[in-house]
Amino acid sequence: MEKEPRQTGVILRTLASYAKVTMAQWAMFLLSIIATLAFVFFLSFANPYIVGLIIDRVQADPVAADQVLTVFGPYIVALIVVNALGQLGSKLQDYSVWKLEIRANYLLATRCFDTLSNQSMTFHSNRFGGSLVSQTQKFISAYATLMENFIYAIIPIVMSVVFTVVLLASSVPLFVIILVAILVVYVIAAYIMYKRVLPMNRGAASAQNALSGELSDSITNILAVKTYGREAYERKIFDQVNQSVVAADSKRMRASTARGAVTSTIIVFIMMLAVIFITGGNAWFGISAGTLVMVFTYTYSVTMQFNRINMLFQSLNRGFGDAHEMTLILNEPRLVDDVADARPLKVSEGRIDFERVTFWYADANEESQVFRDFTLHIPAGQRLGLVGRSGSGKTTLTTLLLRLSDLQEGRILIDDQDIALLSQVSLRQQIAYVPQEPLLFHRTVRDNIAYGCPDASDQQIYAAAAKANALEFIERLPQGFQTITGERGIKLSGGQRQRVAIARAILADRPILVLDEATSALDSESESLIQAALRNLMEGRTSIVVAHRLSTVASLDRIVVLSDGRIVEDGTHQQLVAADGEYAHLWGRQTGAYLGD
């Protein structure tokens, strides 16, 4: 009993999201409703009504051949006008719904993009990127599904009953009462079965999202799959997830088929009632032939509309199921969010302070702390190296500075400004960040270099590429700077991708620089050439350099050695080597000069 209210709550939030984008173009929405009413009334009800009048007039008394146009002319004109208005309503219906969907798709896609792009890295690291794309697409397409069902099915179904009752109540009240009673039973039965199918549809949508995520994960890592000869293994995993989709869809299909059998039986009963009433209507109640024609036609029209309810509920199930997961995401609070009055960061010197920082990841617990009561002062303009074994907290420290995660306790200050009180965008616009894995887009080399400075001139971009030792290999590419790098820069080697990322940081020219293993993918020759460029780049800037390769940090102003989230050593390269501690051991292992055990 607890699951259903939650599901209902998600449906209401989905409808609220769709209602918001619909009301943004309320005039077009109103036009679609009016057009639908016109279409249903004129073609399904006004037409038979006029034909019934014609039949009654024919029965009244014979009409001479030369009087046909005179007597029936008004009816003919009325039929032409009614059909013309009905067709106009049909075309306006299609036009308005199309316009609604185009604009709504834009607004919904924008909202999904804004939500996903502003979520924390913890949020993204716990989800498949391909699954998020799939959920976004389904959420957008679900709007069209629900809107089209509302305009093309729900309104016609409701209005077919309303028009039938209004047009027949005065002439055949008993039939109308019985018909409405049966239709109420039909709706109740359909709704009860709809509620049973709803969770099944959610399960089917979740299975589809899992399938998209698995496919994305496998294709994204296709090089690992091929180089380890694991195609069969990945095929097995994919088949397991795919079988889950088949099972979920089959379960939903069986439930929908059972619902269809029940509702179809009621439809047959309604038509049987109509036939009995029509055959005996004149004898029992003295109802005219024209009215009996209207009774049959209207009843048939109603049953045809209600016959769509099974498909309607199935489509609504699918629509709400497709929208379910993205609706939850859209209503999920941000793990990292700006405060209400967030100020922009203003860097005057570039001084950085970590004050009594305590941190553990949002999906971990307090016992899994990365830092506890951690303090570090970095003077303005200092070039600081962070070293230590894997898992010591080096990269986590840089992500906290970028505020990709929020602290549990303590503060991080830049020029005495608490970054938790600053806007995230302004913070990151003052930091040039080069991660261990180069972050390249499926765009041109030029676009990737200019990403942090989109207004840069070609001359500035070339200069940045030259300083990063990237110009030579770029000019050898098929289209030079206009070469598409491929998804995640797959067309470039690891060292080439890293140099493009470094060129981006050089061009961005920001007061604070963070290099997280930025030279790890470079060969020795490229590294030596880039070290000079990085020294020039770091000059006068507060720089944090994370490195396993100690030659990268040996010439820096200061080196901090981390172990289990604590500072175990702090000094220059010469001081730390002379101290014969953790750093000296690491240095000795990398240079081959073992300085003790």
Side-chain angles (χ1 to χ4, degrees), residues 262-341:
V262 172
T263 53
S264 295
T265 300
I266 298 175
I267 290 294
V268 171
F269 186 74
I270 291 174
M271 287 308 299
M272 180 183 70
L273 172 69
V275 169
I276 293 173
F277 196 88
I278 289 167
T279 53
N282 182 262
W284 299 333
F285 307 107
I287 300 173
S288 69
T291 302
L292 291 176
V293 168
M294 285 190 288
V295 167
F296 178 81
T297 306
Y298 293 168
T299 304
Y300 181 77
S301 178
V302 168
T303 56
M304 287 301 97
Q305 293 291 354
F306 270 73
N307 204 39
R308 298 167 58 190
I309 284 184
N310 187 46
M311 291 301 298
L312 169 63
F313 279 137
Q314 184 174 330
S315 186
L316 291 176
N317 273 334
R318 188 181 299 276
F320 285 123
D322 286 349
H324 181 91
E325 293 194 34
M326 182 51 66
T327 297
L328 294 178
I329 289 172
L330 292 175
N331 288 275
E332 187 172 326
R334 295 179 186 175
L335 293 177
V336 180
D337 203 2
D338 287 341
V339 296
D341 55 348

Side-chain angles (χ1 to χ4, degrees), residues 163-206:
F163 291 145
T164 297
V165 171
V166 170
L167 294 173
L168 295 181
S170 60
S171 54
V172 283
L174 179 62
F175 176 79
V176 170
I177 292 171
I178 297 173
L179 176 64
V180 170
I182 297 174
L183 291 177
V184 169
V185 172
Y186 181 104
V187 171
I188 292 173
Y191 178 70
I192 290 173
M193 302 192 75
Y194 161 75
K195 289 210 309 183
R196 292 178 182 174
V197 176
L198 195 58
M200 300 177 193
N201 201 74
R202 176 187 170 188
S206 296

